[in-house]
Amino acid sequence: MKHLFISIALLMGGLGLAAQDAYIKEIKAHQDKLTKEYQNPKTSPFKKKTKKFKGHAFYAIDSTYRVEAKLTRTTEAEPFDMPTSSGISRKYIKYASVSFELHGQPRTLSVYRSLRLAALPMYKDYFLIPFTDKTSGTETYGGGRYMDVRLSDDQETLILDFNRAYNPYCAYVDGYSCPIPPKENFLDVAVKAGIQAYE
């Protein structure tokens, strides 16, 4: 029944059968990888207490939450202090905004770059899209969810896949400084895709 629901959602998103199967496998592999990371003491926010982790809860995979977005660079942006869950601010800069349609409605989110991570070669093309929506605090973590993107300097479009939205470590344990999504990144819609609240 669950697989049938996923298939219907994907067909509504306009994917053919072959693309549908490939997409299901891709997102399932992503979810399985995330679960294994949380079960591994070396990569888990639970550290050596991984037995506390009982697994992630995900919404049904729905390709209508995979959208193409237009990327608009932010000119003359200044670094700012983004608040975090611990009360310690982190230096970020607004790199761009992304415009897209979600279920027929125009939406916009801001893309941020961590100045600390930007100094590391492995993260020079790494950007963060933290967001909240109408599920935040009920079905999903109240502190919002994140999407990671890799961008090149000449990129004009990108694929946003809310099926890949994940929780910050703060949704699981205390002691981390997780960026709090700015108010401009609130989506006035229930985004029923990606990861749900951790019980």
Side-chain angles (χ1 to χ4, degrees):
M1 180 62 72
K2 183 177 180 180
H3 185 80
L4 176 61
F5 179 84
I6 294 172
S7 298
I8 292 172
L10 286 163
L11 287 171
M12 289 178 66
L15 292 180
L17 291 177
Q20 163 194 316
D21 289 340
Y23 184 70
I24 290 175
K25 289 179 181 178
E26 175 188 333
I27 299 302
K28 283 295 296 177
H30 169 77
Q31 293 174 347
D32 291 343
K33 180 182 178 182
L34 189 64
T35 296
K36 289 178 181 178
E37 288 177 356
Y38 279 62
Q39 292 171 337
N40 184 346
K42 295 181 180 179
T43 55
S44 174
F46 294 104
K47 304 300 182 184
K48 295 181 179 180
K49 299 179 181 179
T50 53
K51 290 184 179 179
K52 292 178 59 179
F53 178 63
K54 304 303 180 183
H56 296 294
F58 297 95
Y59 284 105
I61 299 169
D62 184 346
S63 68
T64 64
Y65 284 101
R66 181 182 184 274
V67 297
E68 183 174 10
K70 179 182 178 182
L71 186 72
T72 303
R73 297 290 192 285
T74 303
T75 58
E76 301 181 357
E78 295 289 337
F80 70 97
D81 293 323
M82 185 180 291
T84 73
S85 55
S86 69
I88 300 173
S89 297
R90 301 294 189 192
K91 287 288 184 182
Y92 279 79
I93 190 167
K94 182 178 176 180
Y95 178 77
S97 62
V98 287
S99 303
F100 55 96
E101 282 195 3
L102 188 61
H103 297 164
Q105 296 297 318
R107 307 289 179 186
T108 302
L109 286 171
S110 294
V111 182
Y112 303 97
R113 170 180 255 168
S114 164
L115 297 190
R116 179 177 61 86
L117 291 181
L120 304 175
M122 69 178 66
Y123 291 110
K124 65 180 182 180
D125 62 346
Y126 170 87
F127 299 87
L128 177 67
I129 303 178
F131 71 95
T132 53
D133 64 274
K134 285 191 172 182
T135 69
S136 300
T138 54
E139 297 177 20
T140 63
Y141 177 54
R145 293 179 286 169
Y146 298 166
M147 288 187 288
D148 299 330
V149 292
R150 300 270 183 175
L151 300 173
S152 60
D153 291 337
D154 59 351
Q155 196 164 334
E156 296 181 352
T157 62
L158 74 155
I159 298 297
L160 290 182
D161 195 338
F162 289 91
N163 292 287
R164 294 177 176 268
Y166 68 94
N167 290 328
Y169 280 178
C170 303
Y172 305 93
V173 293
D174 296 327
Y176 290 94
S177 296
C178 304
I180 298 172
K183 291 182 179 179
E184 64 183 359
N185 269 20
F186 169 70
L187 293 173
D188 190 20
V189 63
V191 179
K192 293 179 177 290
I195 206 162
Q196 294 179 278
Y198 177 69
E199 297 294 337

